Amino acid sequence: AQSVTQLDSQVPVFEEAPVELRCNYSSSVSVYLFWYVQYPNQGLQLLLKYLSGSTLVKGINGFEAEFNKSQTSFHLRKPSVHISDTAEYFCAVRDGNNRKLIWGLGTSLAVNP
Amino acid sequence: DGGITQSPKYLFRKEGQNVTLSCEQNLNHDAMYWYRQDPGQGLRLIYYSQIVNDFQKGDIAEGYSVSREKKESFPLTVTSAQKNPTAFYLCASSSLDRAHSPLHFGNGTRLTVT
């Protein structure tokens, strides 16, 4: 069965520093990959998604992610974070053969001044 | 603007009472979902529906019930049988046109049962 692992539960970082949030998934023939962000006491919103094609995907708020099929990873990056990026980030995978969305447990990003 | 509305934002109930959480969407999406979120446990699927008058159990359906009488509405009832109902509940919807259609979420209802 498909599974998603977010390797860090918490990532503290200083403002304007780069950040990488890591996500690995179990192997599958074809997958769709998503990153969502959740600000405190709110619902989730889509940051970006990978469907096919270019392995580097750009999303909202300056975030990007790279799909690596050989390493079954989909890490999220931002070159310079802001205080406002403090939030919970979720990686999710949908197997191309069914519609079930498998979620990681989330990574809490804390941006400090 | 299209979106998903969950109400109320905060809900307090006494143990032993059933409570219904509202979820309405005007995105014309066929599929709707209910998730439960607890600290450190990510999102867990309670129920989902892909068409009016039909719904399926998710991973943690025990103690919950739903209905889908209208395309726009997917209310969730937390029954007294749910042993640990205090949590943050999220409703979502999606199109069924493509497998990669993302989920759109409401802003959640925080339920506290004492």
Side-chain angles (χ1 to χ4, degrees):
Chain A
Q2 185 68 260
S3 65
V4 177
T5 302
Q6 290 185 241
L7 294 151
D8 305 292
S9 59
Q10 295 183 329
V11 173
V13 64
F14 288 109
E15 194 173 17
E16 297 183 8
V19 70
E20 179 180 80
L21 307 183
R22 297 179 293 167
C23 175
N24 285 90
Y25 61 96
S26 54
S27 180
S28 180
V29 174
S30 65
V31 292
Y32 302 115
L33 298 154
F34 305 84
W35 275 100
Y36 286 82
V37 60
Q38 183 181 32
Y39 299 104
N41 292 313
Q42 292 187 26
L44 283 70
Q45 58 180 278
L46 182 69
L47 266 181
L48 48 80
K49 62 182 178 181
Y50 172 78
L51 309 179
S52 64
S54 173
T55 57
L56 185 64
V57 180
K58 294 192 183 297
I60 63 171
N61 301 341
F63 283 92
E64 61 183 32
E66 184 154 19
F67 170 64
N68 188 318
K69 188 174 182 178
S70 62
Q71 297 188 5
T72 60
S73 68
F74 190 53
H75 300 335
L76 182 70
R77 302 186 182 105
K78 187 169 183 178
S80 175
V81 293
H82 303 287
I83 297 285
S84 59
D85 292 322
T86 294
E88 191 87 13
Y89 291 81
F90 291 93
C91 181
V93 175
R94 177 172 280 145
D95 192 303
N97 295 322
N98 66 65
R99 299 198 65 87
K100 188 170 183 180
L101 198 57
I102 309 299
W103 295 88
L105 295 182
T107 297
S108 178
L109 176 65
V111 181
N112 300 300
Chain B
D1 285 341
I4 298 181
T5 301
Q6 289 188 245
S7 60
K9 189 168 179 67
Y10 299 95
L11 193 53
F12 298 88
R13 279 294 183 271
K14 295 289 188 186
E15 197 174 312
Q17 293 178 334
N18 291 357
V19 60
T20 297
L21 283 59
S22 170
C23 178
E24 304 277 333
Q25 56 102 355
N26 60 6
L27 298 166
N28 199 33
H29 285 165
D30 289 304
M32 296 188 74
Y33 311 81
W34 274 105
Y35 286 93
R36 171 180 171 139
Q37 186 176 22
D38 297 280
Q41 297 195 47
L43 276 70
R44 293 184 289 168
L45 183 63
I46 304 173
Y47 269 98
Y48 66 101
S49 167
Q50 295 184 318
I51 194 170
V52 173
N53 292 324
D54 189 37
F55 45 83
Q56 286 78 41
K57 293 181 180 180
D59 300 317
I60 56 164
E62 185 175 349
Y64 299 98
S65 66
V66 293
S67 63
R68 186 89 186 274
E69 297 177 2
K70 298 186 301 182
K71 186 175 183 178
E72 302 79 18
S73 179
F74 192 41
L76 173 74
T77 297
V78 184
T79 74
S80 55
Q82 167 50 233
K83 296 190 188 318
N84 187 17
T86 294
F88 190 53
Y89 290 88
L90 287 162
C91 179
S93 71
S94 73
S95 167
L96 290 176
D97 292 346
R98 293 179 173 78
H100 54 72
S101 296
L103 266 60
H104 297 255
F105 284 84
N107 280 328
T109 292
R110 188 168 298 280
L111 173 65
T112 303
V113 177
T114 57

